[in-house]
Amino acid sequence: MALFARRNYISLMTSCSLRETEYAKSNGFVIIKGRIEKDKTDESIIIRRSFECHHGRIRKSKKKKKINSSLIRCIFLIRDQNGQSGIIGWITYKIFIWPFYISPLRKFPGPPSESSLYGNLKTLMTEESGVPQLRWIKKYGNVIKYHGLFNNPILLIADTKLVQEITLNKAYDFIKPLNASGISLIGRGLIYAEGDDHKRQRKLSNPAFTYSVVKEMVPSFVHIGSTLKGLIEEKLNSGETNINLTPYISKATLDVIGLVGFNYEFNSLTSQNELAIAYDSIFNNPVTTLRIVLNLLSNYVPSIMTFLFAGHETTSISTCWALYSLAQHPHEQDLLREELVKAFPDKSKFNPTYDEINSLEYLNCIVKESLRLNSPASNIRRINLKDKVLGNYFIPKNTEISLSISTIHKLPEIWGPTADDFDPKRWLDPSLVNNISNLNYLPFYNGPRNCIGSEVALTEFKILLGILIRNFVFKPIEGFHIRKRAFPAPKPDPYLGLAVSIVES
């Protein structure tokens, strides 16, 4: 088999004879075995690799990826007569040859690529967040490979030993993939800082999240929660019972960040604050001139934007999904309300301290279970800076890795046969709790790159949820379906719509 072209040479030759080799040399190609090399004289490129071929077509077999036992040598020749590299050949190599026949990752099990353009991304984008990953892990094992854009191999990991290596033992050897839009959005704050820069920023930020500082934030959480309660009551008093809660919770958590982070009242719940509108335009609205300008300006205040984004999104998403789960499980909602009524008999005087809100056992169980099933960050992406051997696996440097937090949180071998179910009582079972660690329960990640504001988020989450459940009953709206959006964050889609009624004193 041989294919030649007079322009932009792309030649594919199998079982190369001496005559064919001399022909290639006479036309400016450099014949190299096992690597890519450029001829300095005429900018030619030649790639030589081995792979399976049958009747002139490269194919995978259903058994061992072999059509027959004959292994033939293939020379992939590229030349541009104008002195430019062969783009078509490079694309062919990267999309069709490298992922399936050369990359060390080809040996990992996983789902077949669905498209040469988008690999398996269509499935990840169209199905609910976390569903494809869990299906693949259950089918192929806890370390698998799937294909990203242009068939780029990506490792999906749900193995706790490898989680320990990546998050704890060698945390700074695994960096976040370049995210130009994310960096332009919130700057190089803690979220995108790496190495020594991250260590420096983390050290500077630690004093803002101590136990004593978080305790002082509680009155602000209660104040905003009470404002949120009042607005929902107004809706109900006007005769509206089916309520879209997403904007209310989102604005409430933004107002909290304004107060505790900057001592600034956004008042987004009660007024059209300019800063709140600008923030909303960055994270929720379509691209506009304002959004572009704000993206650029955000590079000058990375720490502020990091704090806004991480703090606001984490609590907003968590509170929405907790309300959804409790609406789907009315008995669990009733048990939580009973605990709250016992602790705060007069709902008009719901003003807990830090210690009081954290002493509520069933509230803690609800929060942990909700974060298990609906972690704000369901997948953590990393790239290894060096060649790595993790367990029995060789992972070449610059491999994209996805730690599937949502999958780890649903593995039956960790959580039992009811792993997919919302069951807060599991957190009261000592036999389960004793086996839970920061390697198999990671709602706020782990290690030196864990969420620095996790205690702030948890306390705010508990207080907002406590105020809402103490004052209202939440039920599903008949015929209204809510799914978990996969991108850009695992939010309720199209929104959190619930039937709401007031809890009578």
Side-chain angles (χ1 to χ4, degrees):
M1 177 183 66
L3 174 65
F4 298 95
R6 288 298 177 185
R7 296 178 182 274
N8 298 330
Y9 272 83
I10 301 174
S11 301
L12 186 62
M13 301 186 295
T14 65
S15 301
C16 299
S17 64
L18 177 62
R19 181 180 178 184
E20 290 169 326
T21 302
E22 291 301 321
Y23 175 87
K25 287 181 177 179
S26 66
N27 280 275
F29 292 107
V30 181
I31 311 300
I32 303 296
K33 182 177 181 180
R35 67 181 186 272
I36 302 170
E37 184 170 302
K38 184 179 290 186
D39 186 348
K40 296 180 181 179
T41 59
D42 64 355
E43 298 295 322
S44 299
I45 298 176
I46 187 287
I47 302 165
R48 179 170 181 160
R49 296 292 183 187
S50 299
F51 56 87
E52 308 303 325
C53 184
H54 183 64
H55 295 314
R57 291 186 296 173
I58 301 167
R59 300 192 303 185
K60 297 180 182 178
S61 76
K62 295 180 180 179
K63 295 181 179 179
K64 297 182 179 180
K65 296 186 179 179
K66 291 185 178 180
I67 302 302
N68 56 31
S69 59
S70 62
L71 181 65
I72 57 176
R73 296 223 175 261
C74 175
I75 298 181
F76 189 23
L77 305 173
I78 311 159
R79 180 187 178 191
D80 188 313
Q81 287 184 335
N82 296 323
Q84 299 176 355
S85 61
I87 296 176
I88 296 176
W90 181 84
I91 292 174
T92 303
Y93 173 73
K94 293 295 288 185
I95 295 178
F96 299 104
I97 297 178
W98 165 259
F100 304 109
Y101 302 100
I102 300 175
S103 168
L105 303 182
R106 72 190 187 279
K107 298 179 181 179
F108 285 79
S113 174
E114 301 160 20
S115 164
S116 58
L117 180 62
Y118 50 76
N120 301 107
L121 292 183
K122 184 177 181 180
T123 295
L124 293 172
M125 298 293 288
T126 55
E127 293 191 33
E128 290 200 30
S129 176
V131 172
Q133 292 94 328
L134 181 60
R135 182 173 66 247
W136 294 338
I137 290 292
K138 286 183 176 180
K139 182 176 181 179
Y140 298 105
N142 287 350
V143 182
I144 71 163
K145 171 204 65 186
Y146 69 92
H147 296 276
L149 196 64
F150 303 124
N151 275 333
N152 178 47
I154 300 173
L155 286 186
L156 183 68
I157 293 178
D159 183 292
T160 54
K161 291 183 179 179
L162 300 191
V163 168
Q164 178 176 355
E165 187 74 7
I166 294 170
T167 64
L168 285 174
N169 300 350
K170 303 290 183 181
Y172 289 107
D173 287 349
F174 297 86
I175 65 172
K176 294 191 175 185
L178 178 63
N179 187 334
S181 61
I183 293 173
S184 70
L185 198 62
I186 64 175
R188 286 192 179 274
L190 272 175
I191 290 181
Y192 289 110
E194 297 292 348
D196 291 338
D197 185 27
H198 179 269
K199 294 176 184 177
R200 178 184 60 81
Q201 291 196 40
R202 180 87 180 200
K203 184 177 181 180
L204 290 173
S205 301
N206 278 331
F209 298 95
T210 61
Y211 171 76
S212 58
V213 172
V214 177
K215 286 181 67 175
E216 294 176 358
M217 296 178 181
V218 171
S220 295
F221 299 158
V222 174
H223 170 67
I224 299 300
S226 299
T227 303
L228 172 62
K229 174 182 75 76
L231 291 173
I232 296 175
E233 287 175 339
E234 289 179 10
K235 280 277 189 181
L236 296 174
N237 292 334
S238 68
E240 189 173 344
T241 57
N242 293 345
I243 300 177
N244 175 7
L245 293 163
T246 297
Y248 287 99
I249 294 172
S250 179
K251 291 177 181 179
T253 54
L254 181 59
D255 284 350
V256 165
I257 292 297
L259 280 177
V260 303
F262 315 108
N263 195 27
Y264 181 85
E265 294 189 2
F266 288 162
N267 291 325
S268 61
L269 273 170
T270 55
S271 64
Q272 294 294 313
N273 180 279
E274 290 184 5
L275 185 55
I277 294 172
Y279 179 88
D280 188 65
S281 74
I282 293 177
F283 291 102
N284 299 315
N285 290 346
V287 176
T288 62
T289 302
L290 174 63
R291 178 172 180 176
I292 295 172
V293 171
L294 288 169
N295 286 353
L296 294 174
L297 290 175
S298 69
N299 285 311
Y300 296 97
V301 284
S303 296
I304 293 176
M305 293 304 297
T306 297
F307 192 65
L308 274 174
F309 175 75
H312 167 260
E313 285 291 291
T314 298
T315 312
S316 176
I317 292 172
S318 300
T319 306
C320 282
W321 282 119
L323 289 175
Y324 171 82
S325 296
L326 291 171
Q328 297 290 327
H329 300 83
H331 179 62
E332 306 298 340
Q333 185 179 164
D334 290 341
L335 289 176
L336 175 57
R337 189 174 294 108
E338 288 176 10
E339 181 179 64
L340 291 165
V341 169
K342 184 178 180 180
F344 306 98
D346 186 350
K347 65 178 182 178
S348 65
K349 296 181 180 179
F350 186 93
N351 190 25
T353 65
Y354 175 89
D355 293 327
E356 286 173 338
I357 200 69
N358 283 293
S359 69
L360 300 178
E361 185 178 53
Y362 209 62
L363 175 61
N364 287 328
C365 292
I366 295 285
V367 166
K368 288 178 180 178
E369 184 71 350
S370 183
L371 289 172
R372 181 182 75 86
L373 292 177
N374 302 288
S375 296
S378 56
N379 288 281
I380 304 293
R381 296 169 62 216
R382 291 289 183 265
I383 288 179
N384 53 317
L385 293 174
K386 308 173 184 176
D387 289 343
K388 290 287 183 182
V389 177
L390 299 180
N392 297 322
Y393 305 101
F394 170 71
I395 304 176
K397 68 177 182 179
N398 298 324
T399 295
E400 187 170 342
I401 299 168
S402 178
L403 297 180
S404 186
I405 306 302
S406 62
T407 299
I408 294 172
H409 286 181
K410 292 183 179 180
L411 291 177
E413 55 264 38
I414 298 172
W415 305 95
T418 62
D420 290 336
D421 300 338
F422 179 78
D423 180 16
K425 295 184 187 67
R426 76 173 74 245
W427 295 95
L428 301 175
D429 181 0
S431 64
L432 171 71
V433 174
N434 291 339
N435 292 324
I436 301 305
S437 71
N438 57 0
L439 300 179
N440 53 32
Y441 182 65
L442 309 94
F444 296 103
Y445 199 52
N446 189 19
R449 300 213 58 144
N450 73 332
C451 176
I452 192 173
S454 59
E455 194 59 36
V456 175
L458 282 171
T459 306
E460 179 188 358
F461 182 11
K462 292 175 183 178
I463 288 177
L464 290 180
L465 189 61
I467 289 175
L468 292 172
I469 297 300
R470 179 63 184 86
N471 288 274
F472 305 105
V473 177
F474 298 92
K475 297 180 180 179
I477 297 175
E478 187 175 352
F480 181 70
H481 177 67
I482 297 173
R483 67 191 298 272
K484 186 184 292 186
R485 189 172 68 188
F487 182 83
K491 296 181 178 180
D493 184 43
Y495 55 83
L496 179 64
L498 297 175
V500 186
S501 59
I502 294 177
V503 172
E504 298 300 332
S505 299

